[in-house]
Structure formats: C-alpha cells, structure tokens
Amino acid sequence: MATTASLSAAEPLSIRDALRSPKTALTEILSGIVTSLALIPEAMAFAIVTGLDPRTGLFGAVIIALVTSIFGGRPAMVSAAAGSVALVAAPLIAGHGIHYYFAAVILSGAFQILLAVLGAAKLMRFIPRSVMKGFINALAILIFSSQIPELMGVPWMVYPLVALGLAIVFIVPRWFKALPAPLIAIAVVTGVSLVAGGHAPTVGDKGSLPDALPVFGLPSVPWSMDLLVAVAPVAFAMAVVGMIESLLTAKLVDDLTDTHSNKTRESWALGLANVVSGLFGGSAGCAMIGQTMINVGTGARSRLSSLVAAASVLALIMSLHGVLAVIPMAALVAVMVYVAFTTFDWHSISPRLLRKLPWSETLVMVFTVLVTVLTHNLALGVGVGVIAALLAFVRRVSHLVRVERVLEEAADGAEGQVRYLVHGTLFFASSNDLYFSFRYAQDPRHVILDFSQAQIWDASTVATLDSITHRYESSGHDVEVTGLDRRSARFHDRLSGELDG
C-alpha cells in the first residue's frame, strides 16, 4: 500500500546536493549560462519598450534573478525584469519620469511582501482557468502591439532585418537547439546590419549601457502625498501582475519536475527582489516563463542554475557593453514578436476546444483579454475577469436547485401529508425562487420540508425558509423541517427568526 509521502511531490534539489555530484553541478552551471544568454535580449527589449534605457532592464534582471534564486520558494525558476510588469508602468514613466518609476518599483515590492504575509498566494486557486488564459493571451497581444512604434517612420532597412530575425527565431529551433534562437537571431541580424552599413536604429540609440556597477540610493522624487497618489495605483497593479505570473510559472515548474514549491515564500522573495532592484535603479520583474522553460528544459533543478544565470548576465553586460550598443532594434523587435507568439495560448482559441467549452468560459476569457488590452492594465483585466467568472458561476449554480413534491396518503383514509424534497446548494441566488416552489393553498395540513439533499449556505436562504414556514403556519398548516446536515442545522438554528427584526 502506498504511503502518503510517496503520493506527494518530492522536495526540490538543494545547492549542496547539486554540488555533491560533478555531473549534476555541470548541468546546473551550463543551464544557467544558456539561460543568461536568453535573458539579456529580453531584458533590454522590455526596458526599451517602456521608455527606459537598456541599463535599467539589465541591472533589474541581474538583481531580481540573484535575490529570488537565494530566497525564492521555487528552485530552478528564473525571475528577472519582465515585460508584463513593465507594460503596466509605461504610462507612469511617460508622464512622470524614471525616478517615479523607481519609487513604484520599490512600493510594488513592499506590496508583494505585504500580500505574501496576508496569504495572498493561497488566493491563486480562486482565479479560474479562463481568466488565466485571458491574462496570458492579453499579455501576448500587449507585447506584440508595443513593437508597432518601432516599425513606424524608420529606415527601409529595418523591415528586411526584422524579417530575417523572425525567420531565424521561428525556423532555427526546428533543427538546432544548442543555443537559444533569440541569441542567434540577434547575432546574425547585427552582423548583417554592420556589413550592409545601413542606418538602422540600434540599442545604443535608446540609451546608455552599463559600464559600471549600479549605485544604491533612494529615487530623486518629492516624498509627499502627491507622490503616493501618483505611484500607488501603478505599484499595486505591478505587484499583482508580478505575483500572478510568478505563481503561475511556479505551478508550471512544480508540474514539470514533480516537486513542491513554497508559493508564499516565492511571493515575499519577489517583493524583496523588487525593493532591492528599485533601490539600485533597476526595473521591476517577476518570473520569466520562457527563460524558466529553457532552464528546466536543459536539466536544471536547483537554485544553483538561477544563481549562475544572474552572475553570467552581470559578467556579460559588464564585459560586452560596447557590443550590445550596436545591436539593431530590428533584432529586438523580432525577438519580442517571437515572445508574443510563443506566449499566446493558441490552443485556447482552437475551434475544436471552443465547441466543447461552455460559452460562459469562452466569454470570460474574451472579456479578460478585451479589458486588459483596452486599458493596458493587466491587474484590472484579471480583476474584472474574476468577477465575470464568479457571476457566470453564480448564474449556473443558481439553476441547479430542484424541488420535488411527493403526496403521501394516510393508510386509514385520513388526510395525508405532503413532502417536499429540496435538492441543491442554497444561497442568495438559488434560494430566491425557492419561495415560489410550493403549493401553499392546495397542500394538506401537515407539510414536511426535506433538506436531506440540500445545504444552506447563507442568511438569505434562512430568511427565505422563514418566509415559507410563516406563510404555511399563517394558513393553519403544520410545517416540519427535516434532513438538515449538522452545519446547515447549526446555521439555521442560529439565524432563524432573527432576520426580520
């Protein structure tokens, strides 16, 4: 007979265990290096998309990857400066500048720590699948649409370079997987651009690249209530979006590796990472789904791989900042379009699946996408999607209550009794119609309300039941309520007769 322990997920591999085996240690180190090569182009691209210089995204990637690899609750998961969080902050950066953004990064981290302490990670189970899919698809659409300005009013050479980059990222992985396709695309497109001698915009044109380590310090902003009013809504949205994406990614890695992770620990570690990143002038971030899949897919199972990834990114950007400056923006556009394409859940909109799904589930997903894309607010989209899903659920459950009338004749020819069998879960939505399910005038004197197949969940149902018994008793009937389970009976006894005072 299997024990409980054997049926549960195993514990992740520790750094000590990884270092004990030379083969495992080598796998972890190589996985981290490969992952770092995929982190650099996206960190730069996400920073540029939101109006930041590449240095901000790169240092944010290093700091967040380092802190979460040490303190996080999901070993082998890679967190860094992320596009989903950056997109939320783009209006703040455009309207108030980079130092307001750093203040928002710090505050978003503080919000995440607070949410972790309050147990918000456990609330993830209340986000339906349809909202999750809508969140992912909306994120992909926003990433794609954010590239359009980079294709407007640019030299003609940009377009063939983008096409070349897209061809590489989509075709190369079919035959060659030793190096990340985005890295190959950047190298090839940069080489072609330099050889052609065109005037395509480069990363260096977008801002300065790192030539020294970041400096610790508070953002240069007026610390006042006006700052809080401007920053707090954006910071909270960043915190929620970052937590959702990190916890989704953590669950995905749990399933892939058959190991357990501490979601609460991952939440506050992400908050700590964002606080530290903001204090060093770095971007906000969260788990990176693509880079995490690269890391786990190449065999990583411990914190060692993500530690190596952070250290490798730092070493590369400090030694190759001159090389990074000549990368054409066309290469990063191709990478970001590829990220958008691979992020979008194409299966969620397949006609075969849509025909089988309840229409309400599809509607919730579409509603989440529309709200998110129209407002450019991922947190608002998720919130509205959850509310829509709850309303759809309430509507569906409210129609599952059924009342069955059974007339029981007396053996001696005397007047018999009527038994009403109530089936279903009774709450404010489903109990509203319960009052009209009985034949008050036609029923014999003795009425039995049998709730052995039903449960009472709220005060609205108790009030409805009181109204039913009162109507029967006012016309001379004897009413007997039977079959309540222990919890429903306690709830009913505590509130019955107390709600109409």
Side-chain angles (χ1 to χ4, degrees):
M1 181 176 179
T3 63
T4 302
S6 65
L7 295 175
S8 61
E11 290 298 317
L13 187 70
S14 68
I15 293 180
R16 180 181 299 178
D17 292 336
L19 292 175
R20 284 175 179 170
S21 167
K23 181 179 178 181
T24 302
L26 181 61
T27 299
E28 295 286 324
I29 292 170
L30 291 177
S31 296
I33 293 173
V34 172
T35 301
S36 72
L37 297 177
L39 273 175
I40 291 175
E42 284 196 37
M44 289 192 300
F46 285 142
I48 293 169
V49 160
T50 51
L52 301 170
D53 63 51
R55 177 176 53 190
T56 303
L58 291 169
F59 280 140
V62 172
I63 293 168
I64 293 170
L66 179 64
V67 175
T68 54
S69 65
I70 297 172
F71 298 105
R74 176 60 266 178
M77 187 169 80
V78 179
S79 296
S84 55
V85 182
L87 288 168
V88 174
L92 177 70
I93 298 168
H96 294 85
I98 191 170
H99 287 281
Y100 271 72
Y101 171 68
F102 293 146
V105 174
I106 296 169
L107 186 57
S108 72
F111 277 138
Q112 287 169 336
I113 294 172
L114 178 61
L115 289 170
V117 171
L118 295 176
K122 297 177 182 177
L123 298 177
M124 281 294 294
R125 65 181 183 270
F126 293 108
I127 300 181
R129 175 191 176 278
S130 53
V131 177
M132 298 283 196
K133 297 300 181 182
F135 170 84
I136 292 171
N137 292 342
L139 172 60
I141 293 171
L142 289 177
I143 292 174
F144 176 81
S145 63
S146 67
Q147 302 310 302
I148 295 176
E150 296 296 334
L151 299 174
M152 306 293 289
V154 294
W156 67 268
M157 188 178 180
V158 169
Y159 301 108
L161 290 177
V162 171
L164 175 61
L166 288 173
I168 293 171
V169 293
F170 280 103
I171 296 174
V172 167
R174 298 180 182 180
W175 295 285
F176 184 74
K177 298 182 179 180
L179 290 175
L183 183 67
I184 298 173
I186 289 174
V188 173
V189 172
T190 301
V192 171
S193 177
L194 292 173
V195 170
H199 300 285
T202 65
V203 170
D205 297 332
K206 295 292 183 177
S208 57
L209 286 160
D211 55 6
L213 293 175
V215 178
F216 178 87
L218 291 172
S220 299
V221 292
W223 298 96
S224 63
M225 186 57 66
D226 291 338
L227 171 69
L228 187 63
V229 170
V231 165
V234 176
F236 187 74
M238 291 165 64
V240 172
V241 169
M243 281 189 66
I244 289 173
E245 190 156 352
S246 288
L247 296 176
L248 280 174
T249 307
K251 186 180 185 307
L252 178 61
V253 178
D254 289 352
D255 295 339
L256 290 173
T257 61
D258 194 26
T259 56
H260 175 71
S261 64
N262 188 327
K263 306 298 190 299
T264 299
R265 178 176 173 180
E266 183 62 40
S267 299
W268 67 253
L270 178 64
L272 177 63
N274 280 313
V275 170
V276 175
S277 182
L279 290 172
F280 278 96
S283 294
C286 62
M288 305 286 284
I289 296 178
Q291 283 70 17
T292 297
M293 292 301 98
I294 291 172
N295 197 42
V296 174
T298 50
R301 294 294 182 271
S302 78
R303 301 175 190 278
L304 180 59
S305 60
S306 47
L307 273 171
V308 170
S312 181
V313 170
L314 181 61
L316 288 170
I317 63 177
M318 294 303 295
S319 60
L320 300 177
H321 57 271
V323 175
L324 299 178
V326 300
I327 294 174
M329 282 301 301
L332 295 188
V333 169
V335 169
M336 295 304 292
V337 170
Y338 174 73
V339 169
F341 183 86
T342 54
T343 298
F344 196 93
D345 189 341
W346 296 100
H347 178 67
S348 67
I349 61 170
S350 66
R352 183 168 177 266
L353 176 63
L354 293 178
R355 283 195 297 268
K356 295 181 178 180
L357 277 177
W359 65 267
S360 58
E361 299 249 350
T362 302
L363 190 62
V364 167
M365 181 182 69
V366 172
F367 200 50
T368 302
V369 171
L370 287 176
V371 172
T372 302
V373 172
L374 292 175
T375 65
H376 284 233
N377 190 325
L378 289 156
L380 180 62
V382 170
V384 171
V386 169
I387 292 172
L390 289 175
L391 292 175
F393 172 77
V394 168
R395 181 183 179 278
R396 188 162 59 247
V397 173
S398 66
H399 296 293
L400 298 179
V401 172
R402 180 170 55 88
V403 179
E404 181 182 354
R405 184 177 185 266
V406 179
L407 192 61
E408 301 174 348
E409 300 289 345
D412 56 1
E415 185 182 29
Q417 62 184 14
V418 66
R419 179 185 298 273
Y420 284 96
L421 298 171
V422 182
H423 302 262
T425 300
L426 300 172
F427 63 109
F428 63 91
S430 59
S431 63
N432 285 336
D433 296 331
L434 188 64
Y435 182 83
F436 302 102
S437 301
F438 302 91
R439 302 181 186 177
Y440 299 98
Q442 293 84 13
D443 284 339
R445 180 181 179 84
H446 190 62
V447 179
I448 300 174
L449 306 181
D450 189 343
F451 287 86
S452 57
Q453 302 299 316
Q455 288 185 321
I456 294 175
W457 283 102
D458 65 356
S460 296
T461 303
V462 176
T464 300
L465 187 53
D466 282 352
S467 298
I468 294 168
T469 55
H470 177 71
R471 178 167 177 178
Y472 270 121
E473 290 170 351
S474 64
S475 58
H477 291 78
D478 294 326
V479 182
E480 180 183 356
V481 178
T482 65
L484 289 172
D485 61 44
R486 183 177 300 177
R487 187 202 57 78
S488 297
R490 284 200 306 266
F491 192 75
H492 176 263
D493 293 343
R494 185 168 71 249
L495 292 178
S496 183
E498 302 291 335
L499 300 172
D500 294 326

Coordinates of all heavy atoms in Angstrom, one line a residue, residues 105-171:
V105 N 8.6 50.8 -8.3 CA 9.2 49.5 -8.2 C 9.4 49.1 -6.7 O 9.1 48.0 -6.3 CB 10.6 49.5 -8.9 CG1 11.3 48.1 -8.7 CG2 10.4 49.7 -10.4
I106 N 9.9 50.1 -5.9 CA 10.1 49.8 -4.5 C 8.8 49.6 -3.8 O 8.6 48.6 -3.0 CB 10.8 51.0 -3.8 CG1 12.2 51.2 -4.4 CG2 10.9 50.8 -2.3 CD1 12.9 52.5 -4.1
L107 N 7.8 50.4 -4.1 CA 6.5 50.2 -3.5 C 5.8 49.0 -3.9 O 5.1 48.3 -3.1 CB 5.6 51.4 -3.8 CG 4.2 51.5 -3.1 CD1 4.4 51.4 -1.6 CD2 3.5 52.7 -3.5
S108 N 6.0 48.6 -5.2 CA 5.4 47.3 -5.6 C 6.0 46.1 -4.9 O 5.2 45.2 -4.5 CB 5.6 47.1 -7.1 OG 6.9 46.8 -7.5
G109 N 7.3 46.2 -4.6 CA 7.9 45.1 -3.8 C 7.3 45.1 -2.4 O 7.1 44.0 -1.9
A110 N 7.1 46.3 -1.8 CA 6.5 46.3 -0.5 C 5.1 45.7 -0.5 O 4.7 45.0 0.5 CB 6.5 47.8 0.0
F111 N 4.4 46.0 -1.5 CA 3.0 45.5 -1.6 C 3.1 44.0 -1.7 O 2.3 43.2 -1.1 CB 2.3 46.0 -2.9 CG 1.7 47.4 -2.7 CD1 1.8 48.4 -3.7 CD2 0.9 47.7 -1.5 CE1 1.2 49.6 -3.5 CE2 0.3 48.9 -1.4 CZ 0.5 49.9 -2.3
Q112 N 4.0 43.4 -2.5 CA 4.1 42.0 -2.6 C 4.5 41.3 -1.3 O 4.0 40.2 -1.0 CB 5.2 41.7 -3.7 CG 4.6 42.0 -5.1 CD 5.7 41.9 -6.2 OE1 6.9 42.0 -5.9 NE2 5.3 41.6 -7.4
I113 N 5.4 41.9 -0.6 CA 5.7 41.4 0.8 C 4.5 41.4 1.7 O 4.2 40.4 2.3 CB 6.9 42.2 1.4 CG1 8.2 42.0 0.6 CG2 7.1 41.7 2.9 CD1 9.3 42.9 1.0
L114 N 3.7 42.5 1.6 CA 2.5 42.6 2.4 C 1.5 41.5 2.0 O 0.9 40.8 2.8 CB 1.9 44.0 2.3 CG 0.6 44.2 3.1 CD1 0.8 44.0 4.6 CD2 0.1 45.6 2.8
L115 N 1.3 41.4 0.7 CA 0.4 40.4 0.2 C 0.8 39.0 0.6 O -0.1 38.1 0.9 CB 0.2 40.5 -1.3 CG -0.5 41.7 -1.9 CD1 -0.3 41.9 -3.4 CD2 -2.0 41.7 -1.5
A116 N 2.1 38.7 0.6 CA 2.6 37.4 1.0 C 2.3 37.1 2.4 O 1.8 36.0 2.8 CB 4.1 37.3 0.7
V117 N 2.5 38.1 3.3 CA 2.2 38.0 4.7 C 0.7 37.7 4.9 O 0.3 36.9 5.8 CB 2.7 39.2 5.5 CG1 2.2 39.2 6.9 CG2 4.2 39.4 5.4
L118 N -0.1 38.3 4.1 CA -1.6 38.2 4.3 C -2.1 36.9 3.6 O -3.3 36.6 3.7 CB -2.3 39.4 3.6 CG -2.0 40.8 4.3 CD1 -2.7 41.9 3.6 CD2 -2.5 40.7 5.8
G119 N -1.2 36.1 3.0 CA -1.6 34.8 2.5 C -2.2 34.9 1.1 O -3.0 34.0 0.7
A120 N -1.9 36.0 0.3 CA -2.5 36.2 -1.0 C -2.1 35.0 -2.0 O -2.9 34.8 -2.9 CB -2.1 37.5 -1.6
A121 N -1.0 34.4 -1.7 CA -0.6 33.3 -2.7 C -1.6 32.2 -2.7 O -1.9 31.5 -3.7 CB 0.8 32.8 -2.3
K122 N -2.3 32.0 -1.5 CA -3.3 30.9 -1.5 C -4.6 31.3 -2.2 O -5.4 30.4 -2.6 CB -3.7 30.7 0.0 CG -2.5 30.2 0.8 CD -2.8 30.0 2.3 CE -1.6 29.5 3.1 NZ -2.0 29.4 4.6
L123 N -4.7 32.6 -2.5 CA -5.9 33.0 -3.3 C -5.8 32.7 -4.8 O -6.8 32.8 -5.5 CB -6.2 34.5 -3.1 CG -6.4 35.0 -1.7 CD1 -6.6 36.5 -1.6 CD2 -7.7 34.3 -1.1
M124 N -4.7 32.3 -5.2 CA -4.5 31.9 -6.6 C -5.4 30.8 -7.1 O -5.8 30.8 -8.2 CB -3.0 31.5 -6.9 CG -2.0 32.6 -7.0 SD -2.3 33.7 -8.4 CE -2.0 32.5 -9.7
R125 N -5.8 30.0 -6.2 CA -6.7 28.9 -6.6 C -8.1 29.4 -6.9 O -8.9 28.6 -7.5 CB -6.8 27.8 -5.4 CG -7.5 28.3 -4.2 CD -7.5 27.2 -3.1 NE -8.1 27.5 -1.9 CZ -7.5 28.1 -0.8 NH1 -6.2 28.3 -0.9 NH2 -8.2 28.4 0.3
F126 N -8.4 30.7 -6.6 CA -9.7 31.2 -6.9 C -9.7 31.9 -8.3 O -10.8 32.4 -8.7 CB -10.2 32.2 -5.8 CG -10.4 31.6 -4.5 CD1 -9.6 31.8 -3.4 CD2 -11.5 30.8 -4.3 CE1 -9.8 31.2 -2.2 CE2 -11.8 30.2 -3.1 CZ -10.9 30.4 -2.0
I127 N -8.6 31.9 -8.9 CA -8.5 32.5 -10.3 C -8.8 31.4 -11.3 O -8.0 30.4 -11.4 CB -7.2 33.1 -10.6 CG1 -6.9 34.3 -9.6 CG2 -7.1 33.7 -12.0 CD1 -5.6 35.0 -9.8
P128 N -9.9 31.5 -12.0 CA -10.3 30.4 -12.9 C -9.4 30.2 -14.1 O -8.7 31.2 -14.5 CB -11.7 30.8 -13.4 CG -12.2 31.8 -12.4 CD -10.9 32.5 -12.0
R129 N -9.4 29.1 -14.7 CA -8.6 28.8 -15.9 C -8.9 29.8 -17.0 O -7.9 30.2 -17.7 CB -8.9 27.4 -16.4 CG -8.2 27.0 -17.7 CD -8.7 25.7 -18.2 NE -8.0 25.4 -19.5 CZ -8.4 25.9 -20.7 NH1 -9.4 26.8 -20.7 NH2 -7.8 25.6 -21.8
S130 N -10.1 30.1 -17.2 CA -10.5 31.0 -18.3 C -9.8 32.4 -18.1 O -9.4 33.1 -19.1 CB -12.0 31.2 -18.4 OG -12.6 31.6 -17.2
V131 N -9.7 32.9 -16.9 CA -9.1 34.2 -16.6 C -7.6 34.0 -16.8 O -6.9 35.0 -17.3 CB -9.4 34.6 -15.1 CG1 -8.7 35.9 -14.8 CG2 -10.9 34.8 -15.0
M132 N -7.0 32.9 -16.4 CA -5.6 32.7 -16.6 C -5.2 32.7 -18.1 O -4.3 33.4 -18.5 CB -5.2 31.3 -16.0 CG -5.4 31.1 -14.6 SD -4.1 31.9 -13.6 CE -4.4 31.1 -12.0
K133 N -6.0 32.0 -18.9 CA -5.8 32.0 -20.3 C -6.0 33.4 -20.9 O -5.2 33.9 -21.8 CB -6.7 31.1 -21.0 CG -6.5 29.6 -20.6 CD -5.1 29.1 -20.9 CE -5.0 27.7 -20.5 NZ -3.6 27.2 -20.8
G134 N -7.0 34.2 -20.4 CA -7.2 35.5 -20.9 C -6.0 36.4 -20.5 O -5.6 37.3 -21.3
F135 N -5.5 36.3 -19.3 CA -4.3 37.0 -18.9 C -3.1 36.8 -19.8 O -2.4 37.7 -20.2 CB -4.0 36.7 -17.4 CG -2.7 37.2 -16.9 CD1 -2.6 38.5 -16.4 CD2 -1.5 36.4 -16.9 CE1 -1.4 39.0 -15.9 CE2 -0.3 36.9 -16.4 CZ -0.3 38.2 -15.9
I136 N -2.8 35.5 -20.1 CA -1.7 35.2 -20.9 C -1.8 35.7 -22.3 O -0.9 36.3 -22.9 CB -1.5 33.6 -20.9 CG1 -1.0 33.2 -19.5 CG2 -0.5 33.2 -21.9 CD1 -1.0 31.7 -19.3
N137 N -3.0 35.5 -22.9 CA -3.3 36.0 -24.2 C -3.2 37.5 -24.4 O -2.7 38.1 -25.3 CB -4.6 35.5 -24.7 CG -4.6 34.0 -24.9 OD1 -3.5 33.3 -25.0 ND2 -5.8 33.4 -25.0
A138 N -3.8 38.2 -23.3 CA -3.7 39.7 -23.3 C -2.3 40.2 -23.2 O -1.9 41.1 -23.9 CB -4.5 40.2 -22.2
L139 N -1.5 39.5 -22.4 CA -0.1 39.8 -22.3 C 0.6 39.7 -23.6 O 1.4 40.6 -24.0 CB 0.6 38.9 -21.2 CG 2.1 39.0 -21.1 CD1 2.5 40.4 -20.7 CD2 2.6 38.0 -20.1
A140 N 0.4 38.6 -24.3 CA 1.0 38.4 -25.6 C 0.6 39.5 -26.6 O 1.4 40.0 -27.4 CB 0.6 37.1 -26.2
I141 N -0.7 39.9 -26.6 CA -1.2 41.0 -27.5 C -0.5 42.3 -27.2 O -0.1 43.0 -28.1 CB -2.7 41.1 -27.4 CG1 -3.4 39.8 -28.0 CG2 -3.2 42.3 -28.2 CD1 -4.8 39.7 -27.8
L142 N -0.4 42.6 -25.9 CA 0.3 43.9 -25.5 C 1.7 43.9 -25.9 O 2.3 44.9 -26.3 CB 0.1 44.1 -24.0 CG -1.3 44.4 -23.5 CD1 -1.4 44.5 -22.0 CD2 -1.8 45.7 -24.1
I143 N 2.4 42.8 -25.7 CA 3.8 42.7 -26.1 C 4.0 42.9 -27.6 O 4.8 43.7 -28.1 CB 4.4 41.3 -25.7 CG1 4.5 41.2 -24.2 CG2 5.8 41.2 -26.3 CD1 5.0 39.9 -23.7
F144 N 3.1 42.3 -28.4 CA 3.1 42.5 -29.8 C 2.8 43.9 -30.2 O 3.6 44.5 -31.0 CB 2.2 41.5 -30.5 CG 2.1 41.7 -32.0 CD1 3.0 41.1 -32.8 CD2 1.1 42.4 -32.6 CE1 3.0 41.3 -34.2 CE2 1.0 42.6 -33.9 CZ 2.0 42.0 -34.8
S145 N 1.8 44.5 -29.7 CA 1.4 45.8 -30.1 C 2.4 46.9 -29.6 O 2.6 47.9 -30.3 CB 0.0 46.2 -29.4 OG 0.1 46.2 -28.0
S146 N 3.2 46.6 -28.6 CA 4.2 47.5 -28.2 C 5.4 47.6 -29.1 O 6.2 48.6 -29.1 CB 4.8 47.1 -26.8 OG 5.5 45.9 -26.9
Q147 N 5.5 46.7 -30.1 CA 6.5 46.7 -31.1 C 6.2 47.6 -32.3 O 7.1 48.0 -33.1 CB 6.9 45.3 -31.6 CG 7.3 44.4 -30.4 CD 8.4 45.0 -29.6 OE1 9.4 45.3 -30.1 NE2 8.1 45.1 -28.3
I148 N 4.9 47.9 -32.5 CA 4.5 48.6 -33.7 C 5.2 50.0 -33.8 O 5.6 50.4 -34.9 CB 3.0 48.8 -33.6 CG1 2.3 47.4 -33.8 CG2 2.5 49.7 -34.8 CD1 0.8 47.4 -33.7
P149 N 5.3 50.8 -32.7 CA 6.1 52.1 -32.9 C 7.5 51.9 -33.4 O 8.0 52.9 -34.0 CB 6.1 52.6 -31.4 CG 4.9 52.0 -30.8 CD 4.8 50.6 -31.3
E150 N 8.1 50.8 -33.1 CA 9.5 50.6 -33.6 C 9.5 50.3 -35.1 O 10.6 50.3 -35.7 CB 10.1 49.4 -32.9 CG 10.3 49.6 -31.4 CD 11.2 50.7 -31.1 OE1 12.1 51.0 -31.9 OE2 11.1 51.3 -30.0
L151 N 8.3 50.2 -35.7 CA 8.3 49.9 -37.2 C 7.7 51.1 -37.9 O 7.5 51.0 -39.1 CB 7.4 48.6 -37.4 CG 8.0 47.4 -36.8 CD1 7.0 46.2 -37.0 CD2 9.3 47.0 -37.4
M152 N 7.5 52.2 -37.2 CA 6.9 53.4 -37.9 C 7.9 54.4 -38.1 O 8.7 54.8 -37.2 CB 5.7 53.9 -37.0 CG 4.7 52.9 -36.6 SD 3.7 52.3 -38.0 CE 2.7 53.8 -38.4
G153 N 8.0 55.0 -39.3 CA 8.9 56.1 -39.6 C 10.4 55.7 -39.4 O 11.2 56.5 -39.0
V154 N 10.7 54.5 -39.8 CA 12.1 54.0 -39.7 C 12.7 53.8 -41.1 O 12.0 53.7 -42.1 CB 12.2 52.7 -38.9 CG1 11.8 53.0 -37.4 CG2 11.3 51.7 -39.5
P155 N 14.1 53.8 -41.2 CA 14.7 53.5 -42.5 C 14.2 52.2 -43.1 O 13.9 51.2 -42.3 CB 16.2 53.4 -42.2 CG 16.3 54.3 -40.9 CD 15.1 54.0 -40.1
W156 N 14.2 52.1 -44.4 CA 13.7 50.9 -45.1 C 14.4 49.6 -44.7 O 13.8 48.5 -44.7 CB 13.7 51.0 -46.6 CG 15.2 51.1 -47.1 CD1 15.9 52.1 -47.3 CD2 15.9 49.9 -47.5 NE1 17.2 51.8 -47.8 CE2 17.2 50.4 -47.9 CE3 15.7 48.6 -47.5 CZ2 18.2 49.6 -48.3 CZ3 16.8 47.7 -47.9 CH2 18.0 48.2 -48.3
M157 N 15.7 49.7 -44.3 CA 16.5 48.6 -43.9 C 15.9 47.8 -42.7 O 16.2 46.6 -42.6 CB 17.9 49.0 -43.7 CG 18.9 47.9 -43.5 SD 20.6 48.4 -43.3 CE 21.4 46.9 -43.1
V158 N 15.2 48.5 -41.9 CA 14.7 47.9 -40.7 C 13.8 46.7 -41.0 O 13.8 45.6 -40.4 CB 13.9 48.9 -39.8 CG1 13.1 48.2 -38.7 CG2 14.8 49.9 -39.2
Y159 N 13.0 46.8 -42.1 CA 12.0 45.8 -42.4 C 12.6 44.5 -42.8 O 12.2 43.4 -42.4 CB 11.0 46.3 -43.5 CG 10.3 47.6 -43.0 CD1 10.6 48.8 -43.5 CD2 9.3 47.5 -42.0 CE1 10.0 50.0 -43.1 CE2 8.7 48.7 -41.5 CZ 9.0 49.9 -42.1 OH 8.4 51.0 -41.6
P160 N 13.6 44.5 -43.8 CA 14.2 43.2 -44.1 C 15.0 42.6 -42.9 O 15.1 41.4 -42.7 CB 15.2 43.5 -45.2 CG 15.3 45.0 -45.2 CD 14.1 45.5 -44.7
L161 N 15.6 43.5 -42.0 CA 16.3 43.0 -40.8 C 15.3 42.3 -39.9 O 15.6 41.2 -39.3 CB 17.0 44.1 -40.1 CG 18.2 44.7 -40.8 CD1 18.8 45.8 -40.0 CD2 19.3 43.6 -41.0
V162 N 14.1 42.9 -39.7 CA 13.1 42.3 -38.8 C 12.6 40.9 -39.4 O 12.5 39.9 -38.7 CB 11.9 43.2 -38.7 CG1 10.7 42.4 -38.0 CG2 12.2 44.4 -37.8
A163 N 12.4 40.9 -40.7 CA 12.0 39.7 -41.4 C 13.1 38.6 -41.3 O 12.8 37.4 -41.0 CB 11.8 39.9 -42.9
L164 N 14.4 38.9 -41.4 CA 15.4 38.0 -41.2 C 15.4 37.4 -39.7 O 15.6 36.2 -39.5 CB 16.8 38.6 -41.5 CG 18.0 37.8 -41.2 CD1 18.0 36.5 -42.0 CD2 19.3 38.6 -41.4
G165 N 15.3 38.3 -38.8 CA 15.2 37.9 -37.4 C 14.1 37.0 -37.1 O 14.2 36.0 -36.4
L166 N 12.9 37.3 -37.7 CA 11.7 36.4 -37.5 C 11.9 35.0 -38.1 O 11.6 34.0 -37.5 CB 10.5 37.1 -38.1 CG 9.9 38.3 -37.3 CD1 8.8 39.0 -38.1 CD2 9.4 37.9 -36.0
A167 N 12.5 35.0 -39.3 CA 12.8 33.7 -39.9 C 13.7 32.9 -39.0 O 13.5 31.7 -38.9 CB 13.4 34.0 -41.3
I168 N 14.7 33.5 -38.4 CA 15.7 32.7 -37.6 C 15.0 32.2 -36.3 O 15.1 31.0 -36.0 CB 16.9 33.6 -37.2 CG1 17.7 33.9 -38.5 CG2 17.7 32.9 -36.2 CD1 18.8 34.9 -38.3
V169 N 14.2 33.1 -35.6 CA 13.7 32.6 -34.3 C 12.6 31.6 -34.5 O 12.4 30.7 -33.6 CB 13.1 33.8 -33.5 CG1 14.2 34.7 -33.1 CG2 12.1 34.6 -34.3
F170 N 11.9 31.6 -35.7 CA 10.9 30.6 -35.9 C 11.4 29.3 -36.6 O 10.8 28.2 -36.4 CB 9.8 31.2 -36.7 CG 8.8 32.1 -35.9 CD1 8.9 33.4 -36.0 CD2 7.9 31.5 -35.1 CE1 8.1 34.2 -35.3 CE2 7.0 32.3 -34.3 CZ 7.1 33.7 -34.4
I171 N 12.4 29.4 -37.4 CA 12.9 28.2 -38.1 C 14.0 27.5 -37.5 O 14.0 26.2 -37.4 CB 13.3 28.7 -39.6 CG1 12.0 29.2 -40.3 CG2 13.9 27.5 -40.4 CD1 12.3 29.8 -41.7

